[in-house]
Every structure is written in C-alpha cells, then in structure tokens.
Coordinates of all heavy atoms in Angstrom, one line a residue:
Y384 N 7.1 -8.5 -1.9 CA 8.4 -9.0 -1.8 C 9.1 -8.9 -3.2 O 8.5 -9.3 -4.2 CB 8.5 -10.4 -1.3 CG 7.9 -10.5 0.1 CD1 6.6 -10.8 0.4 CD2 8.7 -10.3 1.2 CE1 6.1 -10.8 1.6 CE2 8.2 -10.3 2.5 CZ 6.9 -10.6 2.7 OH 6.4 -10.6 4.0
K385 N 10.4 -8.5 -3.1 CA 11.2 -8.4 -4.4 C 12.6 -9.0 -4.1 O 13.1 -8.8 -3.0 CB 11.3 -6.9 -4.7 CG 12.2 -6.6 -5.9 CD 12.2 -5.1 -6.2 CE 13.1 -4.7 -7.3 NZ 13.2 -3.3 -7.5
M386 N 13.1 -9.7 -5.0 CA 14.4 -10.3 -4.9 C 15.4 -9.2 -5.4 O 15.3 -8.7 -6.5 CB 14.6 -11.6 -5.8 CG 13.7 -12.7 -5.3 SD 14.0 -13.3 -3.6 CE 15.6 -14.1 -3.9
I387 N 16.3 -8.9 -4.5 CA 17.4 -7.9 -4.8 C 18.7 -8.6 -4.5 O 19.0 -8.9 -3.3 CB 17.2 -6.6 -4.0 CG1 15.9 -6.0 -4.3 CG2 18.4 -5.7 -4.3 CD1 15.6 -4.7 -3.5
D388 N 19.5 -8.8 -5.5 CA 20.8 -9.5 -5.3 C 20.7 -10.8 -4.6 O 21.5 -11.1 -3.7 CB 21.8 -8.6 -4.7 CG 22.2 -7.3 -5.5 OD1 22.2 -7.5 -6.7 OD2 22.4 -6.3 -4.9
G389 N 19.6 -11.6 -4.9 CA 19.4 -12.9 -4.3 C 18.8 -12.8 -2.9 O 18.7 -13.9 -2.2
V390 N 18.4 -11.7 -2.4 CA 17.9 -11.5 -1.1 C 16.4 -11.1 -1.2 O 16.1 -10.1 -2.0 CB 18.6 -10.5 -0.2 CG1 18.0 -10.3 1.1 CG2 20.1 -10.9 -0.1
R391 N 15.5 -11.7 -0.5 CA 14.1 -11.3 -0.5 C 13.9 -10.1 0.4 O 14.2 -10.2 1.6 CB 13.2 -12.5 0.0 CG 11.8 -12.2 -0.2 CD 11.0 -13.4 0.2 NE 10.3 -13.2 1.5 CZ 9.3 -13.9 1.9 NH1 8.8 -14.9 1.2 NH2 8.7 -13.6 3.0
V392 N 13.5 -9.0 -0.2 CA 13.3 -7.7 0.5 C 11.8 -7.4 0.5 O 11.1 -7.5 -0.5 CB 14.1 -6.6 -0.2 CG1 13.9 -5.3 0.5 CG2 15.6 -7.0 -0.3
S393 N 11.3 -6.9 1.6 CA 9.9 -6.6 1.7 C 9.7 -5.1 1.6 O 10.5 -4.3 2.1 CB 9.3 -7.1 3.1 OG 10.0 -6.4 4.2
F394 N 8.6 -4.7 1.0 CA 8.2 -3.3 0.8 C 6.7 -3.3 1.3 O 5.8 -3.9 0.7 CB 8.3 -2.9 -0.6 CG 9.7 -2.9 -1.1 CD1 10.3 -4.0 -1.6 CD2 10.4 -1.7 -1.1 CE1 11.6 -4.0 -2.1 CE2 11.7 -1.7 -1.5 CZ 12.3 -2.8 -2.0
T395 N 6.5 -2.6 2.4 CA 5.1 -2.5 3.0 C 4.5 -1.1 2.9 O 5.3 -0.1 3.1 CB 5.2 -2.9 4.5 OG1 5.7 -4.3 4.5 CG2 3.8 -2.9 5.1
A396 N 3.3 -1.0 2.5 CA 2.6 0.2 2.5 C 1.2 0.1 3.0 O 0.6 -1.0 2.9 CB 2.5 0.7 1.0
S397 N 0.7 1.2 3.6 CA -0.7 1.2 4.1 C -1.5 2.3 3.5 O -1.0 3.4 3.2 CB -0.6 1.4 5.7 OG 0.0 0.4 6.3
A398 N -2.8 2.1 3.3 CA -3.7 3.1 2.8 C -4.8 3.3 3.8 O -5.3 2.3 4.3 CB -4.3 2.6 1.4
R399 N -5.1 4.5 4.1 CA -6.1 4.8 5.1 C -7.3 5.3 4.5 O -7.3 6.0 3.5 CB -5.6 5.8 6.1 CG -4.4 5.3 6.9 CD -3.9 6.4 7.9 NE -2.8 5.9 8.6 CZ -2.8 5.1 9.6 NH1 -3.9 4.6 10.1 NH2 -1.7 4.7 10.2
W400 N -8.5 4.8 5.0 CA -9.8 5.2 4.4 C -9.9 6.7 4.2 O -10.3 7.1 3.2 CB -10.9 4.6 5.4 CG -12.3 4.9 4.9 CD1 -13.0 6.0 5.4 CD2 -13.0 4.2 4.0 NE1 -14.2 6.0 4.7 CE2 -14.3 4.9 3.9 CE3 -12.8 3.1 3.2 CZ2 -15.3 4.5 3.0 CZ3 -13.8 2.7 2.3 CH2 -15.0 3.4 2.3
E401 N -9.6 7.4 5.3 CA -9.9 8.9 5.2 C -9.0 9.6 4.1 O -9.3 10.7 3.7 CB -9.7 9.5 6.5 CG -8.4 9.4 7.2 CD -8.2 8.1 8.0 OE1 -9.2 7.3 8.1 OE2 -7.2 7.9 8.6
E402 N -8.0 8.9 3.7 CA -7.1 9.5 2.6 C -7.5 9.2 1.2 O -7.1 9.9 0.3 CB -5.6 9.1 2.9 CG -5.1 9.7 4.2 CD -3.7 9.1 4.5 OE1 -3.2 8.2 3.8 OE2 -3.1 9.6 5.4
Y403 N -8.3 8.1 1.0 CA -8.7 7.7 -0.3 C -10.1 7.7 -0.6 O -10.5 7.7 -1.8 CB -8.1 6.2 -0.5 CG -6.6 6.3 -0.7 CD1 -5.7 6.1 0.4 CD2 -6.0 6.5 -1.9 CE1 -4.4 6.2 0.2 CE2 -4.7 6.6 -2.1 CZ -3.8 6.4 -1.0 OH -2.5 6.5 -1.2
Y404 N -11.0 7.5 0.4 CA -12.4 7.5 0.1 C -12.9 8.8 -0.6 O -12.7 9.9 -0.1 CB -13.2 7.3 1.4 CG -14.7 7.3 1.2 CD1 -15.3 6.4 0.3 CD2 -15.5 8.2 1.9 CE1 -16.7 6.5 0.1 CE2 -16.9 8.2 1.7 CZ -17.5 7.3 0.8 OH -18.8 7.4 0.6
P405 N -13.4 8.7 -1.8 CA -13.8 9.9 -2.6 C -15.0 10.6 -2.1 O -15.4 11.7 -2.7 CB -13.9 9.4 -4.0 CG -14.3 8.0 -3.9 CD -13.7 7.5 -2.6
G406 N -15.8 10.1 -1.2 CA -17.0 10.8 -0.7 C -18.3 10.1 -1.2 O -18.3 9.1 -1.8
E407 N -19.3 10.8 -0.8 CA -20.7 10.2 -1.1 C -21.2 10.3 -2.5 O -22.2 9.8 -2.9 CB -21.7 10.9 -0.1 CG -21.4 10.6 1.3 CD -21.6 9.1 1.6 OE1 -22.4 8.4 1.1 OE2 -20.7 8.6 2.4
G408 N -20.5 11.0 -3.4 CA -20.9 11.2 -4.7 C -20.7 10.0 -5.6 O -20.5 8.9 -5.1
K409 N -20.8 10.2 -6.9 CA -20.8 9.1 -7.9 C -19.5 8.4 -7.8 O -19.4 7.1 -7.9 CB -20.9 9.7 -9.3 CG -20.9 8.7 -10.4 CD -21.1 9.3 -11.7 CE -21.0 8.3 -12.8 NZ -21.1 8.9 -14.2

C-alpha cells in the first residue's frame, strides 16, 4: 500500500513457482 495524494492505493503482484525456481542445482 502506498499513499498517493492522501489516498491509500494498493499494488498487488504474484510470483509463480515455475517462473522463479532455479532448479535442482546449487
């Protein structure tokens, strides 16, 4: 949440396992 001109505005983001998991290595 961020205050913009006195209004609380939400910013939502999702991260999916298959897009970030680097694999079985180190």
